[in-house]
Amino acid sequence: MNCQRHSRVLTAHKAAWRRGNAAGLARLFVENGFVLSPRPPPIRGRGRIEEHYAGDGSTLLLRAIAYATKGSVGYVIGGYRYPEGPDVGTFPLTLQRAPGGRWLTVSDMDNSNRPRAR
């Protein structure tokens, strides 16, 4: 995956998130993809991913720290933040190239940099 391709993956995620487009965001995943968030158990499948993201949306900013591919699998390691501050978390996206060459997310794991509430 070259710089342009990993940038397209992150741009598609940002655009869907900003619009609050849960269905569009879910379509960026493989059919049985995963969302691994800090609090709920793993979310699996596009339908459940769409439900999970329903009502979300903001001016989320994503940046790649590292990325690579080998054959039809790849990853992007990145940071996320909002316009008004530093990174509030990190993420690894695991990716799979679909027929036709489009890269889809297999899993997205959010790792908050914020201290845990006790």
Side-chain angles (χ1 to χ4, degrees), residues 53-100:
Y53 286 129
D56 285 341
S58 67
T59 54
L60 183 69
L61 301 173
L62 304 173
R63 68 183 181 90
I65 297 169
Y67 57 90
T69 59
K70 183 163 183 150
S72 63
V73 297
Y75 68 84
V76 176
I77 306 294
Y80 61 93
R81 68 181 183 89
Y82 300 94
E84 64 279 354
D87 282 355
V88 295
T90 57
F91 64 88
L93 291 180
T94 57
L95 306 170
Q96 180 177 349
R97 188 172 31 219

mmCIF file of all heavy atoms in Angstrom, residues 53-100:
data_model
loop_
_atom_site.group_PDB
_atom_site.id
_atom_site.type_symbol
_atom_site.label_atom_id
_atom_site.label_comp_id
_atom_site.label_asym_id
_atom_site.label_seq_id
_atom_site.Cartn_x
_atom_site.Cartn_y
_atom_site.Cartn_z
ATOM 1 N N TYR A 53 -22.102 2.770 15.522
ATOM 2 C CA TYR A 53 -21.726 4.130 15.163
ATOM 3 C C TYR A 53 -22.913 5.070 14.963
ATOM 4 O O TYR A 53 -22.718 6.266 14.752
ATOM 5 C CB TYR A 53 -20.860 4.137 13.905
ATOM 6 C CG TYR A 53 -19.450 3.665 14.149
ATOM 7 C CD1 TYR A 53 -18.895 2.668 13.355
ATOM 8 C CD2 TYR A 53 -18.665 4.197 15.165
ATOM 9 C CE1 TYR A 53 -17.590 2.230 13.560
ATOM 10 C CE2 TYR A 53 -17.372 3.767 15.381
ATOM 11 C CZ TYR A 53 -16.841 2.792 14.573
ATOM 12 O OH TYR A 53 -15.563 2.364 14.786
ATOM 13 N N ALA A 54 -24.128 4.566 15.011
ATOM 14 C CA ALA A 54 -25.314 5.417 14.800
ATOM 15 C C ALA A 54 -25.309 6.569 15.802
ATOM 16 O O ALA A 54 -25.093 6.374 16.996
ATOM 17 C CB ALA A 54 -26.591 4.596 14.938
ATOM 18 N N GLY A 55 -25.528 7.770 15.286
ATOM 19 C CA GLY A 55 -25.590 8.952 16.136
ATOM 20 C C GLY A 55 -24.242 9.584 16.416
ATOM 21 O O GLY A 55 -24.169 10.681 16.961
ATOM 22 N N ASP A 56 -23.135 8.905 16.073
ATOM 23 C CA ASP A 56 -21.809 9.491 16.276
ATOM 24 C C ASP A 56 -21.481 10.414 15.113
ATOM 25 O O ASP A 56 -22.118 10.393 14.074
ATOM 26 C CB ASP A 56 -20.743 8.390 16.367
ATOM 27 C CG ASP A 56 -20.773 7.651 17.685
ATOM 28 O OD1 ASP A 56 -21.348 8.181 18.647
ATOM 29 O OD2 ASP A 56 -20.209 6.552 17.753
ATOM 30 N N GLY A 57 -20.476 11.194 15.313
ATOM 31 C CA GLY A 57 -19.992 12.096 14.276
ATOM 32 C C GLY A 57 -19.377 13.317 14.919
ATOM 33 O O GLY A 57 -19.845 13.788 15.946
ATOM 34 N N SER A 58 -18.290 13.784 14.334
ATOM 35 C CA SER A 58 -17.594 14.963 14.838
ATOM 36 C C SER A 58 -16.491 15.312 13.857
ATOM 37 O O SER A 58 -16.343 14.691 12.821
ATOM 38 C CB SER A 58 -17.004 14.672 16.225
ATOM 39 O OG SER A 58 -15.983 13.703 16.111
ATOM 40 N N THR A 59 -15.706 16.291 14.216
ATOM 41 C CA THR A 59 -14.590 16.710 13.376
ATOM 42 C C THR A 59 -13.332 15.923 13.727
ATOM 43 O O THR A 59 -12.287 16.481 14.031
ATOM 44 C CB THR A 59 -14.332 18.218 13.531
ATOM 45 O OG1 THR A 59 -14.156 18.502 14.928
ATOM 46 C CG2 THR A 59 -15.449 19.038 12.959
ATOM 47 N N LEU A 60 -13.435 14.630 13.711
ATOM 48 C CA LEU A 60 -12.326 13.744 14.022
ATOM 49 C C LEU A 60 -11.221 13.898 12.981
ATOM 50 O O LEU A 60 -11.482 13.944 11.782
ATOM 51 C CB LEU A 60 -12.836 12.300 14.028
ATOM 52 C CG LEU A 60 -11.845 11.210 14.396
ATOM 53 C CD1 LEU A 60 -11.468 11.312 15.867
ATOM 54 C CD2 LEU A 60 -12.458 9.850 14.104
ATOM 55 N N LEU A 61 -9.983 13.955 13.448
ATOM 56 C CA LEU A 61 -8.825 14.007 12.568
ATOM 57 C C LEU A 61 -8.005 12.738 12.776
ATOM 58 O O LEU A 61 -7.765 12.332 13.915
ATOM 59 C CB LEU A 61 -7.970 15.239 12.868
ATOM 60 C CG LEU A 61 -8.676 16.583 12.724
ATOM 61 C CD1 LEU A 61 -7.779 17.706 13.212
ATOM 62 C CD2 LEU A 61 -9.090 16.814 11.284
ATOM 63 N N LEU A 62 -7.587 12.108 11.692
ATOM 64 C CA LEU A 62 -6.789 10.884 11.742
ATOM 65 C C LEU A 62 -5.455 11.133 11.063
ATOM 66 O O LEU A 62 -5.391 11.838 10.057
ATOM 67 C CB LEU A 62 -7.504 9.746 11.007
ATOM 68 C CG LEU A 62 -8.913 9.390 11.465
ATOM 69 C CD1 LEU A 62 -9.519 8.365 10.521
ATOM 70 C CD2 LEU A 62 -8.914 8.896 12.884
ATOM 71 N N ARG A 63 -4.407 10.533 11.597
ATOM 72 C CA ARG A 63 -3.101 10.630 10.939
ATOM 73 C C ARG A 63 -2.408 9.282 11.017
ATOM 74 O O ARG A 63 -2.549 8.554 12.004
ATOM 75 C CB ARG A 63 -2.237 11.711 11.565
ATOM 76 C CG ARG A 63 -1.781 11.401 12.967
ATOM 77 C CD ARG A 63 -0.966 12.557 13.564
ATOM 78 N NE ARG A 63 -0.523 12.201 14.888
ATOM 79 C CZ ARG A 63 0.619 11.580 15.167
ATOM 80 N NH1 ARG A 63 1.441 11.248 14.186
ATOM 81 N NH2 ARG A 63 0.956 11.281 16.406
ATOM 82 N N ALA A 64 -1.712 8.949 9.971
ATOM 83 C CA ALA A 64 -0.969 7.690 9.932
ATOM 84 C C ALA A 64 0.394 7.884 10.574
ATOM 85 O O ALA A 64 1.057 8.904 10.364
ATOM 86 C CB ALA A 64 -0.805 7.219 8.498
ATOM 87 N N ILE A 65 0.785 6.903 11.379
ATOM 88 C CA ILE A 65 2.125 6.874 11.962
ATOM 89 C C ILE A 65 2.975 5.870 11.190
ATOM 90 O O ILE A 65 4.143 6.110 10.922
ATOM 91 C CB ILE A 65 2.051 6.493 13.456
ATOM 92 C CG1 ILE A 65 1.273 7.558 14.238
ATOM 93 C CG2 ILE A 65 3.442 6.283 14.042
ATOM 94 C CD1 ILE A 65 0.907 7.157 15.658
ATOM 95 N N ALA A 66 2.359 4.750 10.816
ATOM 96 C CA ALA A 66 3.042 3.702 10.047
ATOM 97 C C ALA A 66 2.005 2.930 9.255
ATOM 98 O O ALA A 66 0.829 2.896 9.629
ATOM 99 C CB ALA A 66 3.791 2.760 10.980
ATOM 100 N N TYR A 67 2.442 2.327 8.162
ATOM 101 C CA TYR A 67 1.545 1.523 7.345
ATOM 102 C C TYR A 67 2.376 0.563 6.500
ATOM 103 O O TYR A 67 3.552 0.822 6.225
ATOM 104 C CB TYR A 67 0.652 2.380 6.446
ATOM 105 C CG TYR A 67 1.429 3.287 5.531
ATOM 106 C CD1 TYR A 67 1.810 2.867 4.260
ATOM 107 C CD2 TYR A 67 1.805 4.554 5.939
ATOM 108 C CE1 TYR A 67 2.540 3.690 3.418
ATOM 109 C CE2 TYR A 67 2.532 5.392 5.107
ATOM 110 C CZ TYR A 67 2.894 4.952 3.863
ATOM 111 O OH TYR A 67 3.627 5.766 3.036
ATOM 112 N N ALA A 68 1.757 -0.541 6.134
ATOM 113 C CA ALA A 68 2.428 -1.519 5.276
ATOM 114 C C ALA A 68 1.394 -2.477 4.715
ATOM 115 O O ALA A 68 0.290 -2.609 5.245
ATOM 116 C CB ALA A 68 3.477 -2.303 6.061
ATOM 117 N N THR A 69 1.783 -3.152 3.637
ATOM 118 C CA THR A 69 0.966 -4.225 3.078
ATOM 119 C C THR A 69 1.883 -5.340 2.603
ATOM 120 O O THR A 69 3.066 -5.135 2.327
ATOM 121 C CB THR A 69 0.135 -3.769 1.857
ATOM 122 O OG1 THR A 69 1.015 -3.302 0.852
ATOM 123 C CG2 THR A 69 -0.855 -2.699 2.228
ATOM 124 N N LYS A 70 1.297 -6.504 2.525
ATOM 125 C CA LYS A 70 1.958 -7.644 1.896
ATOM 126 C C LYS A 70 0.846 -8.429 1.233
ATOM 127 O O LYS A 70 -0.036 -8.958 1.910
ATOM 128 C CB LYS A 70 2.707 -8.492 2.905
ATOM 129 C CG LYS A 70 3.444 -9.627 2.230
ATOM 130 C CD LYS A 70 4.494 -10.223 3.099
ATOM 131 C CE LYS A 70 5.197 -11.292 2.272
ATOM 132 N NZ LYS A 70 6.558 -11.436 2.653
ATOM 133 N N GLY A 71 0.868 -8.465 -0.077
ATOM 134 C CA GLY A 71 -0.200 -9.139 -0.803
ATOM 135 C C GLY A 71 -1.521 -8.418 -0.589
ATOM 136 O O GLY A 71 -1.630 -7.226 -0.821
ATOM 137 N N SER A 72 -2.499 -9.153 -0.082
ATOM 138 C CA SER A 72 -3.840 -8.581 0.072
ATOM 139 C C SER A 72 -4.166 -8.168 1.502
ATOM 140 O O SER A 72 -5.320 -7.905 1.824
ATOM 141 C CB SER A 72 -4.893 -9.575 -0.415
ATOM 142 O OG SER A 72 -4.858 -10.735 0.395
ATOM 143 N N VAL A 73 -3.162 -8.128 2.389
ATOM 144 C CA VAL A 73 -3.399 -7.670 3.760
ATOM 145 C C VAL A 73 -2.496 -6.488 4.069
ATOM 146 O O VAL A 73 -1.431 -6.315 3.472
ATOM 147 C CB VAL A 73 -3.200 -8.796 4.809
ATOM 148 C CG1 VAL A 73 -4.196 -9.915 4.605
ATOM 149 C CG2 VAL A 73 -1.789 -9.317 4.782
ATOM 150 N N GLY A 74 -2.941 -5.675 5.012
ATOM 151 C CA GLY A 74 -2.151 -4.515 5.388
ATOM 152 C C GLY A 74 -2.614 -3.937 6.710
ATOM 153 O O GLY A 74 -3.541 -4.454 7.340
ATOM 154 N N TYR A 75 -1.953 -2.878 7.103
ATOM 155 C CA TYR A 75 -2.340 -2.185 8.321
ATOM 156 C C TYR A 75 -2.002 -0.707 8.220
ATOM 157 O O TYR A 75 -1.165 -0.297 7.420
ATOM 158 C CB TYR A 75 -1.656 -2.802 9.551
ATOM 159 C CG TYR A 75 -0.157 -2.580 9.593
ATOM 160 C CD1 TYR A 75 0.392 -1.390 10.104
ATOM 161 C CD2 TYR A 75 0.721 -3.549 9.137
ATOM 162 C CE1 TYR A 75 1.757 -1.184 10.135
ATOM 163 C CE2 TYR A 75 2.090 -3.354 9.164
ATOM 164 C CZ TYR A 75 2.602 -2.173 9.675
ATOM 165 O OH TYR A 75 3.957 -1.985 9.700
ATOM 166 N N VAL A 76 -2.680 0.067 9.032
ATOM 167 C CA VAL A 76 -2.345 1.464 9.271
ATOM 168 C C VAL A 76 -2.348 1.638 10.780
ATOM 169 O O VAL A 76 -3.324 1.271 11.443
ATOM 170 C CB VAL A 76 -3.367 2.447 8.652
ATOM 171 C CG1 VAL A 76 -3.017 3.890 9.012
ATOM 172 C CG2 VAL A 76 -3.457 2.276 7.146
ATOM 173 N N ILE A 77 -1.266 2.142 11.332
ATOM 174 C CA ILE A 77 -1.194 2.523 12.741
ATOM 175 C C ILE A 77 -1.303 4.045 12.740
ATOM 176 O O ILE A 77 -0.624 4.719 11.966
ATOM 177 C CB ILE A 77 0.152 2.108 13.375
ATOM 178 C CG1 ILE A 77 0.430 0.626 13.186
ATOM 179 C CG2 ILE A 77 0.209 2.543 14.838
ATOM 180 C CD1 ILE A 77 -0.503 -0.290 13.893
ATOM 181 N N GLY A 78 -2.167 4.588 13.581
ATOM 182 C CA GLY A 78 -2.343 6.030 13.550
ATOM 183 C C GLY A 78 -2.739 6.628 14.874
ATOM 184 O O GLY A 78 -2.894 5.941 15.880
ATOM 185 N N GLY A 79 -2.906 7.933 14.836
ATOM 186 C CA GLY A 79 -3.373 8.693 15.983
ATOM 187 C C GLY A 79 -4.641 9.423 15.592
ATOM 188 O O GLY A 79 -4.864 9.710 14.410
ATOM 189 N N TYR A 80 -5.482 9.718 16.589
ATOM 190 C CA TYR A 80 -6.687 10.490 16.308
ATOM 191 C C TYR A 80 -6.813 11.628 17.310
ATOM 192 O O TYR A 80 -6.333 11.544 18.436
ATOM 193 C CB TYR A 80 -7.940 9.613 16.270
ATOM 194 C CG TYR A 80 -8.303 8.873 17.531
ATOM 195 C CD1 TYR A 80 -9.191 9.432 18.456
ATOM 196 C CD2 TYR A 80 -7.791 7.610 17.792
ATOM 197 C CE1 TYR A 80 -9.546 8.736 19.608
ATOM 198 C CE2 TYR A 80 -8.142 6.918 18.928
ATOM 199 C CZ TYR A 80 -9.020 7.483 19.844
ATOM 200 O OH TYR A 80 -9.363 6.804 20.976
ATOM 201 N N ARG A 81 -7.420 12.694 16.837
ATOM 202 C CA ARG A 81 -7.594 13.882 17.659
ATOM 203 C C ARG A 81 -8.745 14.703 17.114
ATOM 204 O O ARG A 81 -9.313 14.382 16.072
ATOM 205 C CB ARG A 81 -6.325 14.719 17.694
ATOM 206 C CG ARG A 81 -5.964 15.363 16.368
ATOM 207 C CD ARG A 81 -4.668 16.165 16.481
ATOM 208 N NE ARG A 81 -4.342 16.835 15.246
ATOM 209 C CZ ARG A 81 -4.769 18.063 14.912
ATOM 210 N NH1 ARG A 81 -5.535 18.750 15.721
ATOM 211 N NH2 ARG A 81 -4.434 18.601 13.761
ATOM 212 N N TYR A 82 -9.045 15.755 17.817
ATOM 213 C CA TYR A 82 -10.033 16.735 17.388
ATOM 214 C C TYR A 82 -9.280 18.030 17.109
ATOM 215 O O TYR A 82 -8.149 18.209 17.578
ATOM 216 C CB TYR A 82 -11.113 16.886 18.460
ATOM 217 C CG TYR A 82 -11.797 15.557 18.697
ATOM 218 C CD1 TYR A 82 -11.373 14.695 19.706
ATOM 219 C CD2 TYR A 82 -12.809 15.121 17.847
ATOM 220 C CE1 TYR A 82 -11.969 13.453 19.884
ATOM 221 C CE2 TYR A 82 -13.400 13.879 18.019
ATOM 222 C CZ TYR A 82 -12.973 13.055 19.040
ATOM 223 O OH TYR A 82 -13.548 11.828 19.189
ATOM 224 N N PRO A 83 -9.842 18.942 16.327
ATOM 225 C CA PRO A 83 -9.081 20.120 15.909
ATOM 226 C C PRO A 83 -8.469 20.936 17.050
ATOM 227 O O PRO A 83 -7.436 21.553 16.878
ATOM 228 C CB PRO A 83 -10.110 20.962 15.149
ATOM 229 C CG PRO A 83 -11.102 19.977 14.658
ATOM 230 C CD PRO A 83 -11.166 18.910 15.717
ATOM 231 N N GLU A 84 -9.071 20.908 18.203
ATOM 232 C CA GLU A 84 -8.628 21.783 19.279
ATOM 233 C C GLU A 84 -7.523 21.226 20.167
ATOM 234 O O GLU A 84 -7.219 21.814 21.189
ATOM 235 C CB GLU A 84 -9.830 22.194 20.142
ATOM 236 C CG GLU A 84 -10.501 21.041 20.881
ATOM 237 C CD GLU A 84 -11.474 20.207 20.061
ATOM 238 O OE1 GLU A 84 -11.766 20.544 18.901
ATOM 239 O OE2 GLU A 84 -11.935 19.188 20.582
ATOM 240 N N GLY A 85 -6.898 20.112 19.828
ATOM 241 C CA GLY A 85 -5.885 19.602 20.741
ATOM 242 C C GLY A 85 -4.998 18.525 20.171
ATOM 243 O O GLY A 85 -5.045 18.222 18.980
ATOM 244 N N PRO A 86 -4.197 17.917 21.055
ATOM 245 C CA PRO A 86 -3.281 16.846 20.641
ATOM 246 C C PRO A 86 -4.034 15.532 20.454
ATOM 247 O O PRO A 86 -5.225 15.439 20.741
ATOM 248 C CB PRO A 86 -2.320 16.754 21.836
ATOM 249 C CG PRO A 86 -3.163 17.155 23.007
ATOM 250 C CD PRO A 86 -4.102 18.218 22.475
ATOM 251 N N ASP A 87 -3.305 14.510 20.026
ATOM 252 C CA ASP A 87 -3.914 13.185 19.893
ATOM 253 C C ASP A 87 -4.574 12.787 21.209
ATOM 254 O O ASP A 87 -4.001 12.981 22.288
ATOM 255 C CB ASP A 87 -2.859 12.126 19.543
ATOM 256 C CG ASP A 87 -2.452 12.152 18.084
ATOM 257 O OD1 ASP A 87 -3.039 12.910 17.301
ATOM 258 O OD2 ASP A 87 -1.517 11.394 17.739
ATOM 259 N N VAL A 88 -5.780 12.242 21.099
ATOM 260 C CA VAL A 88 -6.474 11.723 22.277
ATOM 261 C C VAL A 88 -6.454 10.200 22.281
ATOM 262 O O VAL A 88 -6.926 9.575 23.217
ATOM 263 C CB VAL A 88 -7.927 12.249 22.380
ATOM 264 C CG1 VAL A 88 -7.938 13.752 22.601
ATOM 265 C CG2 VAL A 88 -8.748 11.877 21.165
ATOM 266 N N GLY A 89 -5.892 9.610 21.216
ATOM 267 C CA GLY A 89 -5.809 8.166 21.155
ATOM 268 C C GLY A 89 -5.044 7.688 19.940
ATOM 269 O O GLY A 89 -4.621 8.476 19.094
ATOM 270 N N THR A 90 -4.881 6.384 19.886
ATOM 271 C CA THR A 90 -4.203 5.733 18.768
ATOM 272 C C THR A 90 -5.075 4.590 18.262
ATOM 273 O O THR A 90 -6.030 4.188 18.927
ATOM 274 C CB THR A 90 -2.840 5.175 19.206
ATOM 275 O OG1 THR A 90 -3.033 4.272 20.290
ATOM 276 C CG2 THR A 90 -1.885 6.289 19.611
ATOM 277 N N PHE A 91 -4.753 4.090 17.104
ATOM 278 C CA PHE A 91 -5.524 2.992 16.528
ATOM 279 C C PHE A 91 -4.657 2.171 15.591
ATOM 280 O O PHE A 91 -3.765 2.722 14.938
ATOM 281 C CB PHE A 91 -6.746 3.510 15.749
ATOM 282 C CG PHE A 91 -6.363 4.344 14.562
ATOM 283 C CD1 PHE A 91 -6.114 3.768 13.319
ATOM 284 C CD2 PHE A 91 -6.234 5.717 14.677
ATOM 285 C CE1 PHE A 91 -5.743 4.535 12.227
ATOM 286 C CE2 PHE A 91 -5.871 6.497 13.592
ATOM 287 C CZ PHE A 91 -5.623 5.904 12.365
ATOM 288 N N PRO A 92 -4.925 0.876 15.499
ATOM 289 C CA PRO A 92 -4.455 0.085 14.376
ATOM 290 C C PRO A 92 -5.669 -0.300 13.523
ATOM 291 O O PRO A 92 -6.694 -0.716 14.053
ATOM 292 C CB PRO A 92 -3.843 -1.155 15.037
ATOM 293 C CG PRO A 92 -4.671 -1.339 16.280
ATOM 294 C CD PRO A 92 -5.174 0.042 16.674
ATOM 295 N N LEU A 93 -5.583 -0.089 12.244
ATOM 296 C CA LEU A 93 -6.575 -0.611 11.304
ATOM 297 C C LEU A 93 -5.920 -1.797 10.611
ATOM 298 O O LEU A 93 -4.824 -1.657 10.068
ATOM 299 C CB LEU A 93 -6.931 0.416 10.228
ATOM 300 C CG LEU A 93 -7.710 1.653 10.588
ATOM 301 C CD1 LEU A 93 -7.920 2.506 9.330
ATOM 302 C CD2 LEU A 93 -9.037 1.308 11.207
ATOM 303 N N THR A 94 -6.563 -2.941 10.645
ATOM 304 C CA THR A 94 -6.093 -4.045 9.819
ATOM 305 C C THR A 94 -6.951 -4.042 8.558
ATOM 306 O O THR A 94 -8.153 -3.794 8.621
ATOM 307 C CB THR A 94 -6.166 -5.402 10.553
ATOM 308 O OG1 THR A 94 -7.504 -5.630 10.985
ATOM 309 C CG2 THR A 94 -5.231 -5.428 11.734
ATOM 310 N N LEU A 95 -6.308 -4.277 7.440
ATOM 311 C CA LEU A 95 -6.957 -4.092 6.138
ATOM 312 C C LEU A 95 -6.834 -5.338 5.272
ATOM 313 O O LEU A 95 -5.899 -6.121 5.418
ATOM 314 C CB LEU A 95 -6.314 -2.914 5.407
ATOM 315 C CG LEU A 95 -6.276 -1.589 6.168
ATOM 316 C CD1 LEU A 95 -5.395 -0.591 5.443
ATOM 317 C CD2 LEU A 95 -7.673 -1.043 6.356
ATOM 318 N N GLN A 96 -7.795 -5.463 4.356
ATOM 319 C CA GLN A 96 -7.779 -6.538 3.372
ATOM 320 C C GLN A 96 -8.196 -5.952 2.033
ATOM 321 O O GLN A 96 -9.162 -5.177 1.961
ATOM 322 C CB GLN A 96 -8.757 -7.629 3.780
ATOM 323 C CG GLN A 96 -8.818 -8.784 2.819
ATOM 324 C CD GLN A 96 -9.763 -9.875 3.324
ATOM 325 O OE1 GLN A 96 -10.209 -9.872 4.459
ATOM 326 N NE2 GLN A 96 -10.058 -10.807 2.455
ATOM 327 N N ARG A 97 -7.469 -6.312 0.995
ATOM 328 C CA ARG A 97 -7.818 -5.831 -0.343
ATOM 329 C C ARG A 97 -8.943 -6.698 -0.889
ATOM 330 O O ARG A 97 -8.830 -7.911 -0.977
ATOM 331 C CB ARG A 97 -6.625 -5.849 -1.276
ATOM 332 C CG ARG A 97 -6.937 -5.167 -2.596
ATOM 333 C CD ARG A 97 -5.750 -4.971 -3.499
ATOM 334 N NE ARG A 97 -4.753 -5.996 -3.371
ATOM 335 C CZ ARG A 97 -3.444 -5.762 -3.415
ATOM 336 N NH1 ARG A 97 -2.984 -4.547 -3.560
ATOM 337 N NH2 ARG A 97 -2.594 -6.761 -3.304
ATOM 338 N N ALA A 98 -10.025 -6.045 -1.249
ATOM 339 C CA ALA A 98 -11.197 -6.728 -1.795
ATOM 340 C C ALA A 98 -11.008 -6.942 -3.294
ATOM 341 O O ALA A 98 -10.155 -6.299 -3.924
ATOM 342 C CB ALA A 98 -12.437 -5.882 -1.533
ATOM 343 N N PRO A 99 -11.810 -7.823 -3.897
ATOM 344 C CA PRO A 99 -11.774 -7.944 -5.356
ATOM 345 C C PRO A 99 -11.999 -6.560 -5.971
ATOM 346 O O PRO A 99 -12.818 -5.792 -5.501
ATOM 347 C CB PRO A 99 -12.934 -8.892 -5.666
ATOM 348 C CG PRO A 99 -13.095 -9.696 -4.408
ATOM 349 C CD PRO A 99 -12.764 -8.744 -3.283
ATOM 350 N N GLY A 100 -11.242 -6.245 -6.969
ATOM 351 C CA GLY A 100 -11.324 -4.919 -7.577
ATOM 352 C C GLY A 100 -10.289 -3.962 -7.028
ATOM 353 O O GLY A 100 -10.146 -2.850 -7.514
#
